[in-house]
């Protein structure tokens, strides 16, 4: 695997590769890699002649300074995992490479996506996400961008940003990879104590509970019971929401746009999110 630290170097390298008709897949990450990230690398490798991963803990998407400060950094083992997975290139920039002095910040018109769910609890977060992803896509000229469904709203935001900015990149969304007990893999799981880690399975179990009751109980009953279950395990619930697949509020009688359940809950300043598609949209 070739490691690049300079934006100009990797940009020139990849632009030449595109001219040689290579197809390039790109997996942006913040490091502390796990099997969820590696599944994206495999997905890219299966469809492209070159796979690029980036590791950059983006300060502009953290609204909570403590979360940024405590974000796990495990660069040596990240490199080993990427080598093992057969990733071709790693972009490992400094903050100055991503945000040079001449960098101009813009405002993305994300509409309702910016004010609901994660947007409501993490003001400015999705502007920061768009800022870094657009910058990374300027540097890493690629055909396909790979994101995980684990960050459902982020996928929708990036889809919208690609449309807004008329970018010629295809977006592939990959399923959430889970631990054996169902907990969605996340870099933040490393910060959980043994007891918190055991209790964290309540998030997945609650999503499964919601799925089992979605056509039986009222939405109000389901959400109330779901919140109780999560709170009983010592988590503070930010939200348990049911929405259609575009994250619009649900029409009570009509499920043609599908249903997704989304949960965000915090324990000891560690915030975990997860989601599950309960009913697929009708094409
Ligand atoms: P992060 O390093 O948390 O910014 O994540 C980088 C990419 O990996 C994002 O597209 C995430 O949605 C994706 N990702 C994170 N966790 C998982 C998971 N458990 N399964 C699949 N994709 C994931």
């Amino acid at each position: 695997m070739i490691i690049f630290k300079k934006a100009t170097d990797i940009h020139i390298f990849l632009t030449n590769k595109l001219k040689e008709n290579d197809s390039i897949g790109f997996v942006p990450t913040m490091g502390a890699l796990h099997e969820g990230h590696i599944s994206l690398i495999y997905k890219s490798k299966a469809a492209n002649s070159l796979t690029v991963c980036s590791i950059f803990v983006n300060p502009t998407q953290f609204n909570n300074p403590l979360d940024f400060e405590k974000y796990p950094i495990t660069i040596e083992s990240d490199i080993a995992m990427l080598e093992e997975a057969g990733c071709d290139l790693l972009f490992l920039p400094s903050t100055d490479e991503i945000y040079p002095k001449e960098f101009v910040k813009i405002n993305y018109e994300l509409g309702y996506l910016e004010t609901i769910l994660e947007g409501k609890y993490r003001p400015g977060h999705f502007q920061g996400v768009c800022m870094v992803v657009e910058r990374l896509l300027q540097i890493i000229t690629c055909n396909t961008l790979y994101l995980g469904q684990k960050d459902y709203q982020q996928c929708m935001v990036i889809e919208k940003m690609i449309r807004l900015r008329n970018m010629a990149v295809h977006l592939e969304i990959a399923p959430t990879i889970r631990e054996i007990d169902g907990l969605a893999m996340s870099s933040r799981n490393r910060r959980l104590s043994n007891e918190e880690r055991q209790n964290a399975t309540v998030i997945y179990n609650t999503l499964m509970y919601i799925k089992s009751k979605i056509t039986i109980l009222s939405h109000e009953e389901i959400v109330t019971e779901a919140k109780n279950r999560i709170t009983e395990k010592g988590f503070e619930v930010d939200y348990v929401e049911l929405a259609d697949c575009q994250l619009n509020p649900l029409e009570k009688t009509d499920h043609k746009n599908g249903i997704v359940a989304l949960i965000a809950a915090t324990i000891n300043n560690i915030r975990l999110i997860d989601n599950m598609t309960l009913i697929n949209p009708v094409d």
Side-chain angles (χ1 to χ4, degrees):
M1 182 171 69
I2 315 174
I3 301 179
F4 286 91
K5 295 196 169 177
K6 298 281 174 210
T8 319
D9 294 349
I10 193 163
H11 181 72
I12 293 170
F13 183 91
L14 290 173
T15 310
N16 286 334
K17 288 290 177 192
L18 279 178
K19 280 186 202 143
E20 290 165 16
N21 280 332
D22 268 305
S23 76
I24 299 172
F26 174 40
V27 180
T29 81
M30 298 204 297
L33 300 185
H34 49 66
E35 290 305 317
H37 297 113
I38 299 302
S39 74
L40 298 175
I41 301 288
Y42 284 141
K43 213 170 166 46
S44 168
K45 277 183 67 71
N48 298 283
S49 50
L50 271 182
T51 292
V52 187
C53 178
S54 67
I55 297 180
F56 177 63
V57 185
N58 173 36
T60 68
Q61 74 187 67
F62 284 83
N63 52 316
N64 176 351
L66 190 70
D67 190 26
F68 178 58
E69 203 180 292
K70 297 254 164 153
Y71 203 83
I73 298 195
T74 59
I75 202 69
E76 299 294 314
S77 76
D78 291 352
I79 291 173
M81 283 177 84
L82 290 171
E83 297 261 14
E84 167 86 24
C87 182
D88 302 292
L89 286 96
L90 170 61
F91 182 43
L92 199 56
S94 65
T95 306
D96 287 347
E97 285 295 308
I98 298 295
Y99 302 121
K101 277 195 281 306
E102 62 276 16
F103 181 82
V104 181
K105 192 173 155 182
I106 63 164
N107 184 61
Y108 296 89
E109 298 291 337
L110 299 173
Y112 74 100
L113 282 176
E114 193 167 3
T115 53
I116 57 167
L117 302 164
E118 289 303 285
K120 181 169 162 198
Y121 286 89
R122 303 185 68 186
H125 169 65
F126 287 124
Q127 290 295 327
V129 168
C130 286
M131 194 189 294
V132 76
V133 174
E134 181 166 20
R135 174 75 181 124
L136 284 168
L137 288 172
Q138 282 163 358
I139 300 167
I140 314 269
T141 39
C142 65
N143 306 91
T144 307
L145 173 68
Y146 292 86
L147 300 178
Q149 188 190 324
K150 156 86 173 33
D151 298 280
Y152 194 99
Q153 193 174 2
Q154 173 168 279
C155 292
M156 307 224 34
V157 162
I158 297 301
E159 198 174 55
K160 174 139 198 187
M161 182 202 76
I162 289 171
R163 247 184 293 129
L164 284 173
R165 307 290 291 160
N166 269 322
M167 300 170 105
V169 62
H170 173 67
L171 175 60
E172 275 283 328
I173 299 173
T176 303
I177 304 297
R178 300 178 178 282
E179 303 286 356
I180 288 167
D181 61 9
L183 177 67
M185 290 192 182
S186 164
S187 305
R188 289 186 177 86
N189 293 350
R190 295 168 195 251
R191 294 180 50 208
L192 298 168
S193 69
N194 286 342
E195 192 187 350
E196 289 161 355
R197 167 65 189 81
Q198 272 175 14
N199 286 338
T201 56
V202 71
I203 296 175
Y204 172 72
N205 291 337
T206 302
L207 287 168
M208 291 300 282
Y209 161 80
I210 296 172
K211 189 168 182 149
S212 71
K213 298 293 181 203
I214 192 69
T215 54
I216 303 171
L217 298 180
S218 74
H219 294 169
E220 290 74 16
E221 284 171 310
I222 292 175
V223 168
T224 304
E225 173 61 17
K227 285 182 176 169
N228 286 340
R229 288 177 179 220
I230 299 167
T231 313
E232 266 170 24
K233 293 289 180 186
F235 279 80
E236 205 174 294
V237 177
D238 276 354
Y239 57 78
V240 173
E241 286 281 350
L242 299 170
D244 77 11
C245 287
Q246 296 298 312
L247 296 182
N248 288 303
L250 280 181
E251 298 291 338
K252 281 216 163 78
T253 51
D254 179 2
H255 296 160
K256 73 174 187 321
N257 295 326
I259 303 187
V260 58
L262 306 104
I263 295 178
T266 302
I267 195 158
N268 194 16
N269 273 313
I270 307 162
R271 191 165 180 282
L272 302 181
I273 60 170
D274 200 353
N275 66 82
M276 191 177 279
T277 303
L278 309 180
I279 297 178
N280 284 314
V282 181
D283 286 331

